[in-house]
Amino acid sequence: ELQVKGRFDRLLRAVADKQAELEKRMGKKVPVAVKLAPELNDEEMDECLSVILDTGLDGVIISNTSLHRHGLQ
């Protein structure tokens, strides 16, 4: 799972580095929002939000996604 703190941290730091590189090259910041699965428990959510805050990314989306597809055909 990407939402294991170490791997998630490395991934988001790479995204933040690329964001900074693009901002420098293009002269404007492109916002990045991170979408999290709503099935995360409180501890997992806290860990993910901590990483997002540490990297300085711009937003979090925590709805409209699910690993469960009950009732879909």
Side-chain angles (χ1 to χ4, degrees), residues 5-73:
K5 191 171 184 176
R7 286 188 281 174
F8 192 65
D9 182 74
R10 286 190 299 275
L11 173 64
L12 291 192
R13 289 192 188 284
V15 170
D17 289 346
K18 182 58 80 173
Q19 180 188 39
E21 176 188 319
L22 289 171
E23 181 178 2
K24 187 175 184 178
R25 187 168 28 145
M26 301 181 87
K28 65 178 182 177
K29 183 176 181 179
V30 176
V32 175
V34 179
K35 190 170 190 179
L36 299 175
E39 294 88 4
L40 296 175
N41 65 38
D42 289 346
E43 182 181 346
E44 292 167 326
M45 186 69 69
D46 287 346
E47 287 180 0
C48 289
L49 293 173
S50 175
V51 170
I52 293 166
L53 288 171
D54 287 347
T55 59
L57 294 177
D58 303 291
V60 179
I61 302 165
I62 57 170
S63 63
N64 236 4
T65 182
S66 179
L67 300 174
H68 304 289
R69 301 289 187 231
H70 302 295
L72 295 180
Q73 298 181 359

